[in-house]
Amino acid sequence: MPETASDQELIDEMRERVAEARKSLSAALGAGDGEAAWEAALVALTARGRFGIRLGLGRSRSLLRALDSPEQGVRGALVAGTNGKGSVVALVSAALNAAGVRHATTPSPHLVSYRERLQIDGKPIGGLPFARAIDRALAAADQIEARVGPTTEFELLVGAIFDALREEQVKTAVVEIGLGGRLDAMHAWDGGVAVVTNVGLDHERYLGDTIEAIAGEKAAIIVRGDRAVTGATLRGGALDAMRHRAARVGAPLRIAVPGEVELLGRNGLHVELEGYGVVRIGLLGRHQAVNAAVAAATIDALREAGIADVSADALRSGFAAARWPGRMELIENAFGPTSGRDLLLDGAHNPDGAAALAEGINDLGDDLRGAGKTTLVLGAMADKAVDALCIALTESERLRGATLICTSVADPRSLPPADLERIAKAAGLGSSTIIAADAAAAMRAAATHHGPVVVAGSLYLIGAVREGLMRSGVLPNEGLL
């Protein structure tokens, strides 16, 4: 995606694509053809990526007003953070499911289908209702364009999401911030609870090049009248930024800190949580202890705000059942029913995420199964701190000695595999290297080896691998293909 608005020729091309897609969308909606309507809506929505990333809330707020403010009927938690957002949302969602609370979540980015970006009770919304919401959002965008300019893809998505929730009569949501916090389009909504999971270095071009600066951007989602939750630490002044912002707007702040942790191998972990005692977490990796503490504090804040009442038993049941695709996701026998080989998928795409993955692999030890040395399939975006990411991965002895398969993903920002190989070698990652043109080729190469396979470096890569596994029947389709 371009970082700034494209030149006029590309914008004119986009307008033509959108116009044709909207004709197809209108016809499909009239015929009640959900599949065709969704395909046309997706073209009309994603074509606006040509307008690039334009931080600011003015267009999002104008669009929501043109839609008659559907966001005002939804309360819940707005979740920001460098890492852990998805895990926290997955844990909170699982607890809400266990308590029977109907709710929406907005995972970002999606892995296989764009419809994953709006889920109700953990299931992606249907193509037809999502297409209808996009159609209404497009019409609203037409109304405001002369005054505020063309809306971007993500601004339009915000409008469509809340319009769809109004139509589906969903009153509770746990919503992820896309980039930063202060100026992210999703911050046009305030649900009453503001959560910042943690703060590290990522998206420095937009958010600043220090943890303190990035923390300030993320802390800005805390507004007057909120209850605030954070798992941020003192590193780089992140926790101080949270405290300062909460005090400035008069928001009570919960600082989530986990207690004693017991690792359970392939079965997750036990962690002591304030007010709940020892709780089993179904997600893998000791870093999930902090995410669980943040999620439990979020549940408490939702209860205190009168938004959702989740009992201790429901929280325990939900946290034990929680799953989060593409994040320390362990898939057994992915290379055949008798292969005895594990496939571990993790979207680690920044140094902190890579460090957590390396630690998780170390903790799994022999519980990561396969008869031979590990294969690491790695792909990364060129605008990420790839050198630091590779260095962080070398904290795992398995990964230092792994067969490294460097690949690319279907995105213009993808780092060429040869460049990735050079950076990985300089970091001491992998004992031998293979170049693969794409995710499918990388997985075919990995299948010829005998040890466990780890896939990491980009959520786009994880999505491509999961799609392949769905098409081959290793993973359930879940109606996404």
Side-chain angles (χ1 to χ4, degrees):
M1 177 182 298
E3 294 170 346
T4 58
S6 303
D7 61 37
Q8 190 60 46
E9 182 178 348
L10 290 177
I11 290 176
D12 290 343
E13 176 189 334
M14 181 280 300
R15 292 188 192 281
E16 290 179 9
R17 289 186 64 203
V18 171
E20 288 301 315
R22 290 180 72 174
K23 289 179 184 177
S24 299
L25 174 58
S26 179
L29 289 175
D33 186 341
E35 183 175 352
W38 171 245
E39 290 177 359
L42 186 58
V43 171
L45 176 63
T46 57
R48 287 178 175 260
R50 290 291 192 185
F51 289 141
I53 297 173
R54 291 187 289 162
L55 296 176
L57 302 179
R59 288 177 300 277
S60 295
R61 287 172 172 164
S62 294
L63 182 64
L64 288 168
R65 283 194 296 269
L67 287 165
D68 199 22
S69 303
E71 81 286 0
Q72 293 184 6
V74 181
R75 300 188 71 204
L78 185 62
V79 184
T82 303
N83 293 298
K85 295 188 297 293
S87 295
V88 168
V89 170
L91 287 162
V92 173
S93 177
L96 291 172
N97 275 335
V101 178
R102 191 162 186 257
H103 67 285
T105 52
T106 63
S108 178
H110 63 279
L111 295 179
V112 176
S113 169
Y114 209 103
R115 290 194 294 109
E116 295 172 60
R117 292 181 182 239
L118 176 55
Q119 303 189 21
I120 298 175
D121 295 337
K123 299 183 184 302
I125 189 171
L128 187 57
F130 207 171
R132 287 173 177 150
I134 291 171
D135 186 53
R136 290 188 290 268
L138 286 165
D142 289 343
Q143 296 175 27
I144 65 172
E145 182 168 330
R147 179 164 45 87
V148 300
T151 55
T152 67
E153 173 185 345
F154 297 112
E155 292 162 349
L156 195 73
L157 179 62
V158 169
I161 282 174
F162 286 106
D163 182 88
L165 294 186
R166 177 171 57 191
E167 290 298 307
E168 297 292 321
Q169 299 182 25
V170 176
K171 305 295 185 184
T172 304
V174 188
V175 173
E176 284 189 46
I177 283 285
L179 192 158
R182 181 173 64 93
L183 298 177
D184 184 85
M186 200 59 86
H187 187 210
W189 175 72
D190 171 48
V193 174
V195 181
V196 180
T197 58
N198 54 53
V199 182
L201 293 175
D202 202 2
H203 299 296
E204 292 98 319
R205 176 167 188 159
Y206 302 102
L207 306 179
D209 58 5
T210 66
I211 289 177
E212 183 178 22
I214 295 170
E217 291 290 318
K218 295 183 185 298
I221 70 167
I222 305 170
V223 299
R224 194 167 301 280
D226 278 351
R227 295 179 180 275
V229 175
T230 190
T233 67
L234 293 171
R235 185 178 69 147
L239 182 54
D240 288 341
M242 302 302 140
R243 286 172 167 154
H244 175 77
R245 176 66 182 183
R248 180 180 174 186
V249 300
L253 174 66
R254 289 176 177 270
I255 301 170
V257 180
E260 186 174 345
V261 176
E262 177 191 5
L263 299 176
L264 303 175
R266 301 166 70 88
N267 297 313
L269 63 149
H270 280 146
V271 59
E272 187 175 356
L273 299 176
E274 183 178 353
Y276 297 97
V278 176
V279 176
R280 188 172 84 80
I281 311 302
L283 305 178
L284 298 184
R286 69 172 64 229
H287 62 285
Q288 296 295 355
V290 177
N291 292 332
V294 173
T298 301
I299 291 290
D300 291 341
L302 290 170
R303 183 187 306 112
E304 292 170 358
I307 296 171
D309 191 4
V310 176
S311 69
D313 286 345
L315 180 143
R316 292 190 185 95
S317 176
F319 281 18
R323 297 294 181 269
W324 187 220
R327 285 76 166 182
M328 284 292 288
E329 179 183 14
L330 193 61
I331 302 170
E332 298 179 356
N333 297 321
F335 300 93
T338 61
S339 69
R341 302 174 65 194
D342 284 335
L343 173 62
L344 182 67
L345 306 181
D346 192 85
H349 58 279
N350 56 43
D352 285 351
L357 171 59
E359 182 180 56
I361 291 172
N362 290 340
D363 288 339
L364 279 171
D366 291 339
D367 280 327
L368 186 59
R369 298 169 185 165
K373 74 176 184 179
T374 299
T375 296
L376 172 62
V377 176
L378 190 66
M381 295 297 171
D383 57 357
K384 297 294 183 180
V386 181
D387 51 351
L389 181 148
C390 288
I391 290 170
L393 290 175
T394 64
E395 292 300 311
S396 166
E397 183 178 356
R398 273 183 180 267
L399 299 185
R400 288 198 304 273
T403 297
L404 176 63
I405 301 177
C406 295
T407 190
S408 180
V409 296
D411 189 283
R413 296 180 296 132
S414 184
L415 184 68
D419 292 346
L420 180 57
E421 178 188 28
R422 174 180 51 78
I423 294 170
K425 279 185 175 179
L429 182 63
S431 60
S432 60
T433 308
I434 298 170
I435 295 291
D438 54 33
M443 293 304 289
R444 287 195 297 271
T448 66
H449 298 267
H450 302 288
V453 176
V454 177
V455 182
S458 166
L459 284 168
Y460 296 96
L461 174 61
I462 299 300
V465 171
R466 287 193 103 254
E467 180 176 348
L469 295 172
M470 286 181 179
R471 293 191 183 281
S472 65
V474 174
L475 291 178
N477 184 330
E478 298 175 342
L480 296 176
L481 299 179

